[in-house]
Amino acid sequence: AASGELAALQAASGELAALQAASGELAALKALQSQQESEHFSELQEHLANVTSERDLALSSLTAAQEEAAVKLEQEVARQSEGEAEVQLIVEQDNVKSLSSSLSEVETQIETYQAQLDEMQAKCEQFDSVSADLGKSQGDMASLQLQYESLDADLGKSKSELDDLQK
């Protein structure tokens, strides 16, 4: 019985040795896994640092490109504004020429109307003079008419007296 127990103990000792060996292998696997995870983690950290660096570089390039585009846009806007201002100036100069021409035409018309007005004023003065002369002539004619009528009446009277004398 003791030999059976010894055999069982030896068998248990063998199993214990096998378990210890398996435990050692498990620890080695865990160590290997931990080393691989650590290496993988380091690789991931390095990759993350590279990606972050690339992102920062790309962001810097993008910012520089945006600033350059903003400067170019400002220059283009300024150039267009200058062009628009030149066009507006030309339009305004044309407007001034047109208004100056219109003003000259109006001044010419005013001079023409003033000359016509002066001519009409002279005719009115002539008319007033002729009208005054006519009024005087009408007065003279009325006076002559009265004298004529008076003389005619005297003539009629004298004829009548002559007729009376001849009878």
Side-chain angles (χ1 to χ4, degrees):
S3 87
E5 283 182 16
L6 184 61
L9 276 175
Q10 284 179 346
S13 179
E15 286 178 21
L16 181 61
L19 281 174
Q20 283 178 343
S23 177
E25 286 179 18
L26 182 61
L29 284 175
K30 281 186 178 182
L32 181 62
Q33 181 183 9
S34 177
Q35 181 185 1
Q36 287 176 345
E37 285 176 356
S38 178
E39 287 174 3
H40 185 65
F41 182 72
S42 293
E43 288 174 5
L44 286 176
Q45 281 182 324
E46 186 179 324
H47 182 67
L48 178 61
N50 289 340
V51 168
T52 301
S53 176
E54 288 175 10
R55 182 205 65 198
D56 290 345
L57 184 61
L59 182 60
S60 175
S61 295
L62 177 63
T63 302
Q66 286 175 333
E67 290 172 356
E68 185 178 336
V71 168
K72 285 182 180 180
L73 180 61
E74 287 176 12
Q75 290 172 345
E76 180 64 21
V77 166
R79 188 184 65 74
Q80 286 179 353
S81 294
E82 288 174 7
E84 289 172 2
E86 288 176 7
V87 168
Q88 186 65 27
L89 178 61
I90 290 169
V91 167
E92 291 300 323
Q93 288 173 339
D94 288 345
N95 287 343
V96 168
K97 287 178 186 175
S98 175
L99 290 174
S100 294
S101 175
S102 295
L103 180 61
S104 294
E105 290 173 10
V106 168
E107 287 174 342
T108 301
Q109 287 177 349
I110 289 173
E111 289 171 3
T112 301
Y113 293 147
Q114 186 64 47
Q116 289 174 351
L117 182 62
D118 291 344
E119 187 180 317
M120 287 181 174
Q121 185 67 35
K123 287 182 181 180
C124 284
E125 289 172 3
Q126 287 176 350
F127 177 76
D128 288 345
S129 175
V130 168
S131 181
D133 288 346
L134 180 62
K136 184 179 175 196
S137 295
Q138 285 176 340
D140 291 345
M141 192 173 83
S143 175
L144 289 174
Q145 182 71 30
L146 288 174
Q147 287 177 0
Y148 172 77
E149 289 173 0
S150 174
L151 289 172
D152 191 42
D154 288 345
L155 178 62
K157 211 184 205 186
S158 295
K159 272 186 180 183
S160 181
E161 287 176 7
L162 181 63
D163 282 343
D164 286 344
L165 285 177
Q166 287 180 353
K167 294 186 179 180

